[in-house]
């Protein structure tokens, strides 16, 4: 089994990369991860067009969410679709950060056709994976079928792409301790942190057992990070097991600098895997230059306006919007590829003009590895 990377190995790996910048990406046609990836709705032509727009902005990295229920439907078909995605991203000079699990929004995911998004509500169709019922089942009996299924999913995905140069890094679990207080709190297990922490540790172990040659990470996202004793059990697993430190920050520049300083104390490369919410003061103009200066990877939430509706603010969960907000919360481009704000696009291009990666120029088996 692979071991956690040493600080020296992690920093040497990062030193050979350009500054990393790109979006958290869901194609405009998809309301969630299942709709993005399942066979009946997967649309590589749309993905190709939209990633072409990312290339035009000079972006070189993309974070994309997978889902265990799509794997359960058709493992081999899913691997082929992931391979198609990686091939298209590489064609546009973009490396991919796949996210294996996610604990945000609806804790009751189902396969098949996805419900229509709730009009005017931010990310109303997004689903967790694994869901609350699976977490509870595993908490009661670690030998249950759900535990075996999740292990097969993680090892199956990672082993298929463990040597693939198109995969930059594996993001093991997004916001694993998120209780979704303003949306689905009543449907969450009260002991979610206790249920997730051991499964998170196992997921890191499974990815390493699968032979991942890329680094692993899981980003802390909330709380006081100034002292180790302030961390909960999930955060401790994240920081003890991650090869590369990742974190989320939707605050103003002062807040970002404070939290990134806390993370810098771990003496490992850093990627901010979520930022940019205009309504909270986390903007491209205020935050992106700081990340480039400090060579902190910059992964903003959202890219193209679409069925996730994440151009609408978080507060829409309390009162849905009846018309497009004057100030978009997330996203860079409208569905047709035109900028929401031309000045922001100019800012992004000015910061990315010298970071293009030669990913699309790679040849041979490491670029096109069909599972």
């Amino acid at each position: 089994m692979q071991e956690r990377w040493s600080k020296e190995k992690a920093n040497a790996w990062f030193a050979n990369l350009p500054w990393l910048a790109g979006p958290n990406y869901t194609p405009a046609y998809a309301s969630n991860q299942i709709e993005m990836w399942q066979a009946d709705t997967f649309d590589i032509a749309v993905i190709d067009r939209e990633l072409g727009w990312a290339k035009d902005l000079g972006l070189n990295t993309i974070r994309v969410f997978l889902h265990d229920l799509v794997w359960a439907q058709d493992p081999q078909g899913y691997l082929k679709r992931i391979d198609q995605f990686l091939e298209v991203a590489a064609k546009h000079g973009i490396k991919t950060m796949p996210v294996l699990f996610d604990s945000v929004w609806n804790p009751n995911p189902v396969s098949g056709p996805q419900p229509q998004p709730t009009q005017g509500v931010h990310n109303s169709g997004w689903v967790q994976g694994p869901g609350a019922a699976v977490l509870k089942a595993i908490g009661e009996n670690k030998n249950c079928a759900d535990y075996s299924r999740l292990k097969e999913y993680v090892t199956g995905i990672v082993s298929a792409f463990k040597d693939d140069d198109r995969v930059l890094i594996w993001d093991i679990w997004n916001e694993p301790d998120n209780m979704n207080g303003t949306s689905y709190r009543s449907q969450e297990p009260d002991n979610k942190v206790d249920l997730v922490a051991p499964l998170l540790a196992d997921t890191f172990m499974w990815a390493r057992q699968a032979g991942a040659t890329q680094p692993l990470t899981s980003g802390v996202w909330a709380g006081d990070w100034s002292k180790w004793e302030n961390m909960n059990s999930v955060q401790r697993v994240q920081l003890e097991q991650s090869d590369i430190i990742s974190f989320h920050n939707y605050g103003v520049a002062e807040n970002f600098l404070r939290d990134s300083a806390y993370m810098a104390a771990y003496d490992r490369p850093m990627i901010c895997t979520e930022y940019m919410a205009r309504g909270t003061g986390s903007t491209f103009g205020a935050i992106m230059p700081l990340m480039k200066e400090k060579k902190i990877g910059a992964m903003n939430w959202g890219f193209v306006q679409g069925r996730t509706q994440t151009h609408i603010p978080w507060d829409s969960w309390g009162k849905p919007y009846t018309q497009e907000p004057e100030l978009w919360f997330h996203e860079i481009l409208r569905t047709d590829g035109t900028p929401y704000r031309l000045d922001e696009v100019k800012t992004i291009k000015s910061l990315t003009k010298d970071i293009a990666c030669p990913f699309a120029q790679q040849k041979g088996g490491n670029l096109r590895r069909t599972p």
Side-chain angles (χ1 to χ4, degrees), residues 198-227:
L199 187 56
L200 173 63
D202 286 351
T203 307
F204 271 101
M205 177 181 67
W206 295 337
R208 291 190 166 113
Q209 287 175 337
T213 58
Q214 308 93 340
L216 313 180
T217 194
S218 177
V220 294
W221 69 282
D224 178 2
W225 307 335
S226 61
K227 297 179 181 178

Side-chain angles (χ1 to χ4, degrees), residues 33 66-69 100-104 106-107 109 126-132 135 150 153 172-174:
Q33 320 91 305
L66 309 182
H67 204 284
D68 60 278
L69 291 184
L100 295 171
F101 290 138
D102 186 7
S103 284
V104 185
N106 189 342
W126 201 261
V127 292
Q128 297 185 41
L135 292 178
L150 295 183
Y153 158 69
I172 296 298
W173 202 316
N174 180 62

Side-chain angles (χ1 to χ4, degrees), residues 267-289:
D267 195 25
R268 288 176 177 270
M270 292 187 292
I271 301 176
C272 180
T273 48
E274 289 187 26
Y275 82 102
M276 212 296 287
R278 296 177 183 89
T280 67
S282 178
T283 62
F284 289 113
I287 308 299
M288 202 174 182

